[in-house]
Amino acid sequence: MERTPSINPRIVEGLYAEALVLADEVRARFERLRAQDFARIAILDSGRDCPADDVARVQLSCEALRTTTRVMHCLAWLLNHRAHFAGELTELQLRRHGRLVANFPASDAAALALLPAEARMLVHESERLYERIMRLERAWRRPAPPRAASAIDRLRQRLAAAS
């Protein structure tokens, strides 16, 4: 039996804080990687740069963009839910416009292999955060199970049948 996660302000706030920290760590780490790469390129002669380095730089940039975008999608979803809990969005507005992007592309294994362990760990943390929020999204959008008729509903049914 699958447990249905509940979405409440405390969970959303906790995930939001986690996503903000992760977004900052991802940005800083990939920025350091780019700076290290540019410093290494500056040392090389411009004519001796090999095409394999170009491919590695492109893969690094793609993975940085993919990871950052994944975290930003999570933050957008969390911000929409925060706005709903604050009364700034109705449930109808949230259901119409607050969807998490489904089937976001996973990271490329070849590109991940080129990253240092710390950067790979951040990519995996972003994927894990995305999966957690996707589970909440699916559970929240799942139709509620039919509830048993309350005593008042049963009384109303009996009165309607008697008249």
Side-chain angles (χ1 to χ4, degrees), residues 22-133:
L22 183 59
D24 191 45
E25 289 174 353
V26 165
R27 183 206 54 78
R29 182 61 182 138
F30 279 105
E31 187 61 36
R32 281 195 308 271
L33 283 174
R34 276 193 286 278
Q36 290 169 358
D37 191 44
F38 287 132
R40 185 182 57 80
I41 292 169
I43 293 171
L44 296 174
D45 291 332
S46 61
R48 293 181 23 204
D49 197 15
C50 87
D53 286 341
D54 292 339
V55 171
R57 279 194 297 279
V58 169
Q59 286 180 325
L60 170 66
S61 294
C62 288
E63 196 53 50
L65 180 61
R66 185 179 296 120
T67 303
T68 303
T69 303
R70 184 183 301 117
V71 175
M72 291 300 123
H73 280 296
C74 291
L75 280 167
W77 188 89
L78 291 163
L79 282 169
N80 280 327
H81 278 77
R82 287 179 82 206
H84 171 67
F85 288 129
E88 297 169 1
L89 286 178
T90 66
E91 186 170 342
L92 178 62
Q93 290 171 319
L94 183 60
R95 288 192 181 275
R96 280 189 180 167
H97 307 292
R99 289 187 179 274
L100 184 64
V101 174
N103 302 322
F104 191 83
S107 294
D108 181 31
L112 282 178
L114 298 173
L115 297 177
E118 181 185 331
R120 278 195 309 270
M121 182 189 72
L122 289 173
V123 170
H124 292 307
E125 282 183 38
S126 75
E127 290 173 334
R128 185 171 170 266
L129 176 68
Y130 181 84
E131 289 166 4
R132 288 165 54 202
I133 292 177

